[in-house]
Amino acid sequence: MNSCHVRRSNHAFISCRISNNGQYIGLDVHKEAITVAVRNGAGKLVMESILETKANTLFEFLSGVGGEFHVTLEEGTSLAWL
């Protein structure tokens, strides 16, 4: 079963456990677009994308990543809807 939780410190961390594939996703969220970078467990950049700033667009992207992944983003004014 999928499970997600949010942990806050200087940044907000959203972790979702799906399987054991260890990928790391960084989000730069702005009003008009979200810039996304995906790195594998070795730190190699495996994907970059620019998404429309809409929840369903982001969830569709994250669903396509697959495996276990961790998401990090800077806490700011855009965090409220995430």
Side-chain angles (χ1 to χ4, degrees):
M1 173 171 243
N2 298 348
S3 64
C4 295
H5 69 278
V6 177
R7 176 173 50 92
R8 293 178 186 257
S9 58
N10 290 340
H11 292 80
F13 293 93
I14 303 170
S15 283
C16 299
R17 182 169 175 78
I18 296 176
S19 70
N20 56 4
N21 193 13
Q23 299 204 62
Y24 301 87
I25 302 170
L27 303 177
D28 188 9
V29 182
H30 294 276
K31 183 178 179 180
E32 300 297 323
I34 302 171
T35 303
V36 183
V38 181
R39 293 187 180 268
N40 64 17
K44 180 181 177 187
L45 184 65
V46 294
M47 186 185 321
E48 286 183 295
S49 188
I50 297 175
L51 308 174
E52 185 177 28
T53 304
K54 291 188 176 178
N56 57 344
T57 304
L58 178 59
F59 288 128
E60 184 178 308
F61 178 86
L62 294 174
S63 296
V65 172
E68 179 181 325
F69 60 90
H70 306 275
V71 178
T72 188
L73 57 134
E74 183 176 0
E75 186 170 0
T77 58
S78 300
L79 185 62
W81 69 270
L82 288 173

